[in-house]
Amino acid sequence: MRINKIAELSGGSFEIFLLIKEIQVKTARNGSTFLTINFTDGKDNLSANMWDTTAEALEVSAKEIAFVTLEGKPYNGKMSYTVERIRPAYPSEGVSLTDFIPTSQIPPETLYEFCLSKIDKMADSELSALVKEIYADNKEKMLWQSAAKSVHHNKVGELLWHVARMAKLAGAIADTYSLLDRDMLLAGVFLHDIGKLEELSTDEMGITDYTKDGYLFGHALLGIELVKKYAEKLSVSEEKVRCLTHIIASHHGTREFGAISVPATAEAYAVHCIDLIDSRMYIYEDVLSKVDSGSFSDPMHILEGTRIYKPLA
């Protein structure tokens, strides 16, 4: 049966065009070599094993579009897929790379302009100028950058999607709690993940991985270094730089989860909470789009094993 999307898969044999993200060579218990091939259709991902073969024997490689025959069978309560046949997609078959690159549901350029509109409205001229110059100098990279390798906001342009939604939340929270410095809060939102421009690299296929500096230092430290460089150039006051870089240092909340320090200002704590809300809501959105009404998801490790429930319509 010919299908168009991974979401249409079930048991049985299916043919589908997919983009190969990665080919992993593995060894079975009997010593034979097999492959685990990670695919995407531009929205969903799928891993399937191909038995008794080697990467050298394939006609295709990673970062290519392939025409795949998959066999699906239940295993331990869920579907497991095997690659039966695989070949390159032919130009005459009318498939394009852009069809398979996962991209933010709102165009990145639109998200960038939304962020600029919020930055322009900041009353603090020092913070506004600082954020605006960082965004201007890194525009092209930001339009393409994802916010993570996996789990949440891991598609092309979704760093901006993450920041834009956080900015909306920040405005509502600042309206509610008068102790918050609105502009410091917004600057923290716009720059809390700016180090991901150096921590992560999203290639022309939309596939994200860690850079050397990303592995060695993490985006919090890289973001602090970037902000301090621009702040010195623009002569931003020392106290504002201190408070802003503290937000970046502490936005993961606890050292257990990668924070350099724990939130010690109201704005830092607010950014941490907003960041957590948006990352978790992204996960709920993604999972609920794949679960039938009245059903539960598989246990979610990122949510401490929670099975997400989709209420009956």
Side-chain angles (χ1 to χ4, degrees):
M1 180 187 299
R2 179 75 65 87
I3 62 172
N4 295 314
K5 292 293 181 181
I6 289 171
E8 301 171 31
L9 284 170
S10 57
S13 182
F14 298 87
E15 296 177 330
I16 184 172
F17 288 102
L18 295 170
L19 174 64
I20 301 172
K21 295 177 66 177
E22 183 181 26
I23 300 174
Q24 299 175 322
V25 180
K26 298 183 178 180
T27 303
R29 291 181 180 178
N30 65 5
S32 64
T33 299
F34 72 97
L35 306 176
T36 295
I37 307 178
N38 299 321
F39 299 101
T40 183
D41 62 7
K43 180 180 180 182
D44 296 313
N45 300 315
L46 176 141
S47 293
N49 292 329
M50 190 168 186
W51 303 105
D52 300 317
T53 191
T54 64
E56 291 76 17
L58 296 181
E59 298 179 64
V60 293
S61 58
K63 301 184 180 182
E64 289 185 4
I65 302 170
F67 184 66
V68 190
T69 302
L70 295 169
E71 180 75 22
K73 295 180 180 179
Y75 180 75
N76 286 342
K78 58 183 181 179
M79 295 303 301
S80 177
Y81 294 97
T82 299
V83 177
E84 298 295 323
R85 290 181 297 279
I86 186 169
R87 65 162 173 81
Y90 304 137
S92 60
E93 290 173 306
V95 290
S96 170
L97 181 61
T98 57
D99 298 330
F100 296 89
I101 297 177
T103 306
S104 171
Q105 60 182 278
I106 295 178
E109 187 74 47
T110 301
L111 294 168
Y112 182 84
E113 292 302 324
F114 171 82
C115 291
L116 279 192
S117 71
K118 294 292 185 183
I119 296 166
D120 284 338
K121 292 177 183 176
M122 292 169 61
D124 189 311
S125 59
E126 283 188 323
L127 290 177
S128 177
L130 174 64
V131 179
K132 193 169 185 176
E133 183 148 346
I134 291 174
Y135 270 50
D137 286 353
N138 293 279
K139 179 179 179 179
E140 293 306 313
K141 198 167 185 179
M142 294 191 75
L143 291 174
W144 192 252
Q145 188 75 28
S146 67
K149 181 177 179 179
S150 60
V151 183
H152 72 91
H153 297 95
N154 58 337
K155 299 175 184 176
V156 166
E158 285 198 335
L159 176 59
L160 283 168
W161 178 228
H162 179 44
V163 170
R165 296 209 296 189
M166 285 182 63
K168 290 182 180 180
L169 285 172
I173 288 174
D175 288 341
T176 305
Y177 300 103
S178 59
L179 84 162
L180 292 170
D181 181 325
R182 177 184 294 269
D183 288 344
M184 181 60 69
L185 179 66
L186 282 170
V189 163
F190 288 126
L191 297 177
H192 78 288
D193 271 349
I194 200 66
K196 289 189 174 182
L197 297 179
E198 301 300 326
E199 179 188 47
L200 301 169
S201 176
T202 303
D203 68 15
E204 71 280 4
M205 312 292 291
I207 298 170
T208 297
D209 206 345
Y210 289 91
T211 64
K212 287 183 181 179
D213 282 351
Y215 276 120
L216 290 171
F217 305 113
H219 66 274
L221 179 58
L222 294 171
I224 289 169
E225 290 180 342
L226 179 68
V227 168
K228 284 188 171 181
K229 181 178 74 173
Y230 275 84
E232 182 177 2
K233 173 185 173 183
L234 297 173
S235 300
V236 180
S237 71
E238 183 179 347
E239 182 67 3
K240 289 177 184 177
V241 176
R242 179 180 292 113
C243 292
L244 180 55
T245 53
H246 173 66
I247 291 174
I248 298 171
S250 64
H251 74 271
H252 281 180
T254 65
R255 292 183 176 87
E256 177 188 1
F257 292 107
I260 297 172
S261 60
V262 297
T265 65
E267 292 77 20
Y269 183 72
V271 169
H272 161 62
C273 292
I274 295 166
D275 186 28
L276 188 63
I277 289 171
D278 189 54
S279 65
R280 295 302 183 263
M281 285 300 102
Y282 184 100
I283 294 168
Y284 275 86
E285 289 168 341
D286 181 55
V287 171
L288 290 173
S289 70
K290 304 169 185 174
V291 175
D292 294 331
S293 296
S295 300
F296 290 89
S297 72
D298 292 333
M300 302 297 299
H301 172 71
I302 191 71
L303 301 176
E304 299 181 345
T306 299
R307 292 178 180 267
I308 295 175
Y309 178 67
K310 187 173 185 176
L312 291 168

